[in-house]
Amino acid sequence: MVQRTDKQKGVLRSLDWWTIIIYIALLTFGWVSVCGASYTYGDADIFSLDTRSGMQIVWIGTSIVLGFVLLMLDDRYYDMFAFIIFGVMLLLLFATIFNPHSIKGSRSWLVLGPLRLQPAEFAKFATALALAKLMSTYGYNIQNWRHFAATLAVILVPMLFIVLQRETGSALVYLAFFLMFYREGMPGSVLFTGLAMVIYFVVGIRYADTMLWQTPTSVGKFVVLLLIQLFSAAMVWIYCKENRNAIRLFSICLGVTVVGLLFSIYVIPFDVTYIELVVCVLLIGYLLWLALATRIRNYAWIALFALGSMVFFNLADYMLNEVMEPHQRVRINVLLGLEEDLKGAGYNVHQSEIAIGSGGLEGKGFLNGTQTKLKFVPEQDTDFIFCTVGEEEGFVGSAGVLLLFLALILRLIHLSERQNHRFGRVYGYCVLSIFLFHVFINVGMVLGLTPVIGIPLPFFSYGGSSLWGFTLLLFIFLRIDAGRNLIRT
């Protein structure tokens, strides 16, 4: 039985209408952008179902109906059936691996007559529900390694299935859940380790062939090894509270590096990275000795961080040249400035930048974009739709769209923090993390700031699967939020 408090007098009255208004605004601007991206000179009717703009109206209409249905369901169903929904989606993802239909090299689409669905888009809300259910169980502690391992399995299994569908971009979206982990108590060192790995990869690859002054020393290797030492010393300061040991490590690492570098420059030129490697090995040994001598476990974890950093750094080049697919390797090289390839991997981004730049301050106006009308930008109504916003609406319109997304993100933070139960808070931060990842990566790849991994811009990119998937994510959370003050007996 459900009792209502004075604050909670019904689902429709308790809904967060500000979020729904933002949702409707994004849908509206998204449809305008699809019109601009798909319109061809001479089209008679942008509302015709033979056009993408006409079909997008269908997807928008069905999404609104779907959202209304989700709001009418009892919010307890999402908690009760979370694992069942997740299990069904895993079976669907697994079955899709053997899908005989290949679209643009990917087997992630199920073709049902004229309808095409991408299960990976729907697996996001199912995974979010499963995580919320698992993490809200009695006694769960994210800092317990068994609990954390089970949580990671919930994320990694769908990721694996999606990768096997040759849809790496959609699989990477699941890394966004680590932002939710941080809110729920995951140590900041885990996020820092991930950030450090990105820095090692970018710096190590980008400057691998650049020599340091007049020495035969790779700038990339030199900087990465030095960063490993400095990061480790900083972690001793923060996590072990041993200021003297931290200062001693800083001084020794920097001192040995400076002496070796000066000797290489003015006496005998040699590769300074050999000295850096020896210093790193001695650093790891010293940290392990401190862990045994003081019985402070954090020293051992920092030693493991340094060792893992060295292993990752030495495997980075192998990963790029041997593990990654050729098109992925070229995209990363283009992003890092190692290759230009304006006619190949860099073509999409280059044309997108031209389209956005040509929009100027106020844009060329609705349906007046030349770059998009002449189809210079591939995938301009799906993955690269933001370039249409930049060309037709200019800087003002682009900033307005980003402000709308910012308003949505801030509203989701507010709603998540006001949840009375952990299930709602965890699910809310899952939704927030996915939206944030999609917006950041999609806009970044259109501007040439992030790798091109082929993920849609929420509520803007053409297609039913992504629009329904984002609607499911958002409206399930709105329904959970609407029931937060109900007293159940």
Side-chain angles (χ1 to χ4, degrees):
M1 180 178 178
V2 177
Q3 297 179 357
R4 305 185 192 281
T5 68
D6 293 336
K7 296 181 180 178
Q8 192 78 357
K9 298 182 179 180
V11 173
L12 294 180
R13 292 183 61 184
S14 59
L15 280 176
D16 185 68
W17 288 100
W18 284 111
T19 303
I20 293 179
I21 290 172
I22 295 171
Y23 169 77
I24 297 298
L26 288 171
L27 287 180
T28 303
F29 285 115
W31 179 78
V32 170
S33 300
V34 170
C35 286
S38 60
Y39 179 78
T40 302
Y41 291 120
D43 282 351
D45 185 5
I46 60 176
F47 299 102
S48 171
L49 295 182
D50 294 330
T51 64
R52 289 207 159 193
S53 56
M55 281 302 302
Q56 189 70 358
I57 294 178
V58 175
W59 305 136
I60 291 174
T62 53
S63 294
I64 293 175
V65 172
L66 175 62
F68 179 78
V69 171
L70 293 171
L71 294 177
M72 292 301 101
L73 294 175
D74 191 323
D75 59 289
R76 290 174 295 183
Y77 289 159
Y78 303 120
D79 186 342
M80 188 184 308
F81 298 109
F83 287 145
I84 296 176
I85 295 172
F86 181 65
V88 171
M89 288 308 306
L90 283 183
L91 290 174
L92 193 57
L93 286 175
F94 182 74
T96 308
I97 297 174
F98 307 98
N99 173 30
H101 301 282
S102 178
I103 300 176
K104 297 181 180 179
S106 171
R107 295 184 179 274
S108 61
W109 294 86
L110 290 179
V111 180
L112 306 172
L115 186 64
R116 297 190 304 180
L117 295 176
Q118 191 173 22
E121 293 294 335
F122 303 104
K124 297 171 189 174
F125 91 90
T127 304
L129 284 175
L131 286 172
K133 179 70 173 179
L134 175 63
M135 297 179 70
S136 61
T137 54
Y138 179 77
Y140 178 89
N141 184 355
I142 197 171
Q143 297 189 15
N144 181 306
W145 72 269
R146 289 189 180 89
H147 295 172
F148 188 58
T151 309
L152 286 180
V154 173
I155 296 175
L156 294 177
V157 172
M159 280 186 70
L160 175 62
F161 289 167
I162 295 171
V163 168
L164 293 176
Q165 296 170 10
R166 301 177 185 174
E167 192 66 34
T168 308
S170 296
L172 292 176
V173 174
Y174 287 74
L175 297 177
F177 290 121
F178 279 84
L179 297 176
M180 177 274 295
F181 289 162
Y182 181 68
R183 168 59 183 84
E184 293 302 313
M186 183 183 72
S189 57
V190 177
L191 279 182
F192 176 76
T193 300
L195 178 62
M197 297 304 175
V198 174
I199 294 174
Y200 299 154
F201 185 85
V202 173
V203 174
I205 298 299
R206 175 65 180 84
Y207 300 101
D209 298 325
T210 303
M211 294 298 108
L212 184 64
W213 289 312
Q214 303 300 319
T215 68
T217 304
S218 166
V219 171
K221 294 181 179 179
F222 176 83
V223 172
V224 168
L225 291 172
L226 182 60
L227 285 175
I228 293 173
Q229 300 165 28
L230 299 182
F231 285 164
S232 299
M235 294 175 80
V236 169
W237 183 300
I238 296 171
Y239 294 108
C240 299
K241 309 299 181 183
E242 293 287 343
N243 298 351
R244 291 184 179 179
N245 284 334
I247 293 173
R248 185 182 298 116
L249 289 175
F250 269 119
S251 303
I252 293 175
C253 292
L254 286 176
V256 172
T257 298
V258 170
V259 171
L261 187 59
L262 292 176
F263 188 87
S264 179
I265 294 174
Y266 297 106
V267 183
I268 300 175
F270 72 99
D271 191 347
V272 185
T273 57
Y274 289 122
I275 289 183
E276 295 292 278
L277 284 170
V278 172
V279 172
C280 285
V281 172
L282 294 176
L283 172 65
I284 293 171
Y286 180 64
L287 290 171
L288 291 175
W289 178 81
L290 286 174
L292 294 174
T294 63
R295 295 187 178 181
I296 298 177
R297 187 180 299 178
N298 285 345
Y299 280 121
W301 287 114
I302 297 171
L304 182 62
F305 164 81
L307 177 62
S309 296
M310 292 181 63
V311 172
F312 176 84
F313 167 62
N314 285 283
L315 289 177
D317 184 69
Y318 174 80
M319 291 168 59
L320 178 66
N321 294 299
E322 302 297 335
V323 176
M324 292 186 178
E325 298 291 337
H327 68 278
Q328 297 171 332
R329 182 164 58 249
V330 173
R331 286 177 179 176
I332 290 178
N333 286 337
V334 170
L335 179 68
L336 296 179
L338 298 175
E339 297 180 26
E340 197 166 69
D341 195 20
L342 297 182
K343 295 183 179 180
Y347 178 81
N348 289 22
V349 174
H350 181 62
Q351 293 298 329
S352 175
E353 291 171 342
I354 292 175
I356 293 175
S358 67
L361 179 63
E362 298 180 353
K364 298 177 180 178
F366 181 54
L367 301 183
N368 291 324
T370 54
Q371 294 295 119
T372 50
K373 296 303 161 294
L374 297 175
K375 312 300 181 187
F376 281 111
V377 185
E379 310 296 339
Q380 62 187 22
D381 55 1
T382 52
D383 299 341
F384 282 82
I385 196 167
F386 191 73
C387 73
T388 305
V389 179
E391 183 179 29
E392 295 193 347
E393 310 303 328
F395 174 80
V396 174
S398 301
V401 169
L402 293 179
L403 286 175
L404 271 178
F405 278 116
L406 177 61
L408 177 63
I409 296 299
L410 294 177
R411 198 65 198 167
L412 289 174
I413 293 175
H414 171 70
L415 298 183
S416 300
E417 287 297 330
R418 76 181 186 183
Q419 298 305 304
N420 297 325
H421 304 285
R422 193 176 192 183
F423 178 85
R425 186 179 71 240
V426 170
Y427 183 79
Y429 271 99
C430 286
V431 176
L432 159 69
S433 300
I434 291 173
F435 278 116
L436 185 62
F437 186 91
H438 269 272
V439 174
F440 179 79
I441 297 297
N442 183 276
V443 175
M445 72 183 192
V446 170
L447 297 175
L449 302 177
T450 57
V452 178
I453 63 174
I455 60 175
L457 184 63
F459 310 121
F460 272 70
S461 296
Y462 172 80
S465 292
S466 64
L467 191 51
W468 291 347
F470 291 126
T471 298
L472 280 163
L473 276 167
L474 183 60
F475 276 79
I476 288 176
F477 181 49
L478 289 177
R479 182 61 187 90
I480 293 172
D481 175 70
R484 70 189 183 281
N485 289 324
L486 291 179
I487 300 176
R488 309 180 191 279
T489 58

